[in-house]
Amino acid sequence: MPDSASPTPSATQPTLFIPHGGGPCFFMDWSLMGEPANTWDKTAEWLKNLASTLPERPKAIVVISGHWEESVFTVATSPAPEMIYDYYGFPKHTYELQYPAPGSAALANRIVELLTNAGIAAKTDATRGFDHGVFIPFLLAFPDASIPVVPLSLKKNLDPAEHLAAGKALKALRDEGVLIVGSGMSYHNMHAFRTPSATAPSKAFDDYLTSSLSQDEKAVRMDALSQWSQGPAARNAHPREEHLLPLMIAAGAGDDDKGERIFSDVVMQATVSAFRFG
């Protein structure tokens, strides 16, 4: 792992769940999409200040994007991940964005080891690059692109309990100076965005997440996340839950640390939030 021989003990890193926005939203004039030009400005500014809230510069980052699913948990090992421009219909220059952060095969193998030791099947992928759930927010949060970044997939079954367990298996990385980031959206109903039908449901579900994650008892927090689809307006917020499941890994790695909402905004008539554990 990067800097593993360093004699300086690492500060325990928190785990995070961040909104990665809509496509390349932070790097274009959003009025081209029929929205106010400043639609994503508040989120962008928050992401720019994110690194300053950490206890120290991370030695490496594990990122779980809502845009990568595999049959088992899969970890990218490429030393120089390429960009995956998995968005459509945006300005030409947004397909030229680059985030040249290195990967880390050593950290990837450590992740596989931790998952396997916890009885969770895992494998590596030597070709996977950075999808927009990685490079778009990280261009703002960690712009120098010098910290090794290792993507970890979701599991295709999207079972919340399995993702919580995977996160718990990775908890030890936090004491090794590794930042674990779930990159998704707390609200992701593509048909309701930009309409009044998103406003009340997104707030109701966001309040449910905030209340559930801040409960003192871990068992209560984990049960609420395992049963997230029973929450108010849950299926309005996530008709399909791939953008919510990165939160489960962040929460699982948070383990004994209760969560707190550290950012919230109303974007395209929907409440969008970020959460932190530890």
Side-chain angles (χ1 to χ4, degrees), residues 4-202:
S4 60
S6 172
T8 304
S10 297
T12 299
Q13 291 286 350
T15 70
L16 303 172
F17 176 72
I18 65 171
H20 61 234
C25 60
F26 309 122
F27 300 96
M28 56 174 285
D29 179 356
W30 202 246
S31 65
L32 296 174
M33 309 302 290
E35 295 291 321
N38 66 350
T39 293
W40 290 100
D41 285 5
K42 184 176 177 181
T43 306
E45 191 63 26
W46 178 78
L47 285 167
K48 289 176 183 177
N49 291 310
L50 183 60
S52 67
T53 69
L54 301 175
E56 66 180 21
R57 177 182 169 86
K59 290 182 170 59
I61 302 171
V62 178
V63 58
I64 306 93
S65 166
H67 290 273
W68 187 22
E69 301 174 34
E70 296 286 348
S71 57
V72 299
F73 291 107
T74 304
V75 195
T77 60
S78 172
E82 296 183 354
M83 304 301 102
I84 302 171
Y85 299 105
D86 51 345
Y87 43 76
Y88 309 95
F90 291 96
K92 182 179 181 295
H93 75 270
T94 65
Y95 299 90
E96 299 168 355
L97 294 168
Q98 292 289 319
Y99 189 71
S104 171
L107 176 55
N109 289 328
R110 170 80 168 130
I111 293 168
V112 170
E113 175 188 40
L114 289 169
L115 291 171
T116 302
N117 288 347
I120 299 169
K123 64 184 179 71
T124 59
D125 184 323
T127 63
R128 179 73 184 187
F130 295 152
D131 62 59
H132 82 268
V134 180
F135 73 83
I136 291 297
F138 280 22
L139 274 166
L140 297 178
F142 306 99
D144 64 2
S146 61
I147 300 172
V149 175
V150 174
L152 167 64
S153 79
L154 298 173
K155 188 175 177 182
K156 272 185 181 176
N157 67 1
L158 302 181
D159 181 275
E162 289 191 44
H163 288 77
L164 287 164
K168 184 174 182 178
L170 302 181
K171 177 185 175 181
L173 295 176
R174 296 174 59 194
D175 293 327
E176 298 169 17
V178 177
L179 178 67
I180 297 172
V181 179
S183 176
M185 294 287 283
S186 57
Y187 184 85
H188 197 253
N189 185 331
M190 299 304 290
H191 295 292
F193 268 125
R194 305 188 188 186
T195 75
S197 64
T199 305
S202 65

